[in-house]
Amino acid sequence: MSHIRPPQREGTVTVIRREPLTAHLLRLHFHAPDLAGLELPYTAHALRLWFGEPTPQDKSHRRIFTLRRFDAATATLALDFLLHDDGLASRWAGAAQPGDTLVASGPRSGLQWPPEARWLLAVVDESALPALACVIESLPAQRIVHAVVRTRHAAAARAFLPQAPLLGVVGLHRAGPGAAGAAAAVPVS
């Protein structure tokens, strides 16, 4: 896959709606007037979000999220948040309500599927499920996709990914925060 970077913009995004997807994934819909009219011809573009005052020197409050949906005409977008106990963005998203705002910049690179490629192997953790879902949605139906997902919730991860006729998913169980050890493979499709 090649990465394509569109022109960069910065501005405020405002929560307009919450949409629970699974017990551990939440989609937030935003109004993003500074992105109005932006053309994103590829898939899996991402935005940088600042959870606090954005400064070039301090990136500890910055996180990057894949655009799940973007409508340039209405300047609306959707981002998926993994809900867990130990994350700045997760805590913010879990409490976010319509009207809440963040500073956003981007979009970052999008992905373009090479037309000659017949299959994709994706090895991701649960935070990359939104990007993987974007890629799967963009592929022709005859493409084979093998996904290895390191997650605490393998069945929920599989349920979150789009249905595709040639998609195989293996979940690698990840223990809770601070746990060490090898992951165990669990087929989930």
Side-chain angles (χ1 to χ4, degrees), residues 4 16 21 27 52 65-66 76 87 104-105 110-111 122 144 171 183:
I4 311 298
I16 54 176
L21 300 174
R27 180 168 293 158
F65 290 86
T66 301
T76 56
S105 66
L111 299 173
I144 297 169

Side-chain angles (χ1 to χ4, degrees), residues 120-125 128 132 146-150 172:
L120 167 70
L121 171 62
V123 181
V124 301
D125 71 2
L132 179 57
H146 301 285
V148 178
V149 181
R150 186 169 185 236
L172 295 178

Side-chain angles (χ1 to χ4, degrees), residues 48-120:
R48 292 178 215 81
L49 299 179
W50 274 268
F51 299 88
E53 288 298 316
T55 64
Q57 299 80 21
D58 180 11
K59 296 180 181 176
S60 65
H61 293 97
R62 182 186 79 183
R63 301 295 185 271
I64 298 172
F65 290 86
T66 301
L67 284 167
R68 286 294 285 134
R69 304 282 182 263
F70 177 69
D71 184 332
T74 62
T76 56
L77 60 92
L79 302 172
D80 294 345
F81 289 79
L82 175 66
L83 301 178
H84 51 91
D85 299 331
D86 56 346
L88 173 70
S90 176
R91 287 190 303 272
W92 184 90
Q97 295 298 318
D100 290 348
T101 63
L102 292 170
V103 172
S105 66
R108 291 177 52 103
S109 300
L111 299 173
Q112 183 177 23
W113 182 260
E116 70 279 1
R118 295 188 316 236
W119 59 273
L120 167 70

Side-chain angles (χ1 to χ4, degrees), residues 150 152 173-184:
R150 186 169 185 236
R152 290 180 217 156
H173 179 72
R174 181 170 74 102

Side-chain angles (χ1 to χ4, degrees), residues 134-155:
C134 284
V135 170
I136 292 169
E137 289 169 350
S138 74
L139 297 176
Q142 69 274 17
R143 296 296 197 262
I144 297 169
V145 179
H146 301 285
V148 178
V149 181
R150 186 169 185 236
T151 178
R152 290 180 217 156
H153 313 285

